[in-house]
Amino acid sequence: MLSGLDHLVITVTDISRAVDFYTRVLGLDVRYRDQERVDLMLGDMALRLHWTATDIQPRAATPTPGSLDLCLRSQLPLDEVQRHLEALSIEVELGPVSRQGAIGEIESLYLRDPDGNLLEISRPRR
């Protein structure tokens, strides 16, 4: 019945700060839908940013910044990702570590976005 994920909503306290992080640090492309909704393109899906002060309906029962735990796949080897993060003074909280992902064994780095969401950047183990 289902075929994939179209978009995932991330509730943020400051859209411009989130856009800066996800574009500058993670390399996502931005698409502005309107003043209150911004899409960060990730392949054929989007991470949609909603600002906490906006009452967009319908929405989750308790939209809360910093409550997301998201694993993103990297095209680059993790040592390159780690060097990129270090160059931008982005702290890696954990990793690289071995984990189990949806597609099998992965290696992962963990970091946080400006709202405290946990981001796992992974790459399949070889």
Side-chain angles (χ1 to χ4, degrees), residues 59-87:
R59 64 179 182 177
T62 313
T64 307
S67 64
L68 186 67
D69 186 340
L70 181 64
C71 181
L72 303 165
R73 292 183 193 149
S74 175
Q75 295 176 339
L76 299 175
L78 287 187
D79 60 337
E80 287 184 40
V81 173
Q82 198 160 14
R83 282 194 301 274
H84 169 72
L85 295 171
E86 288 171 2

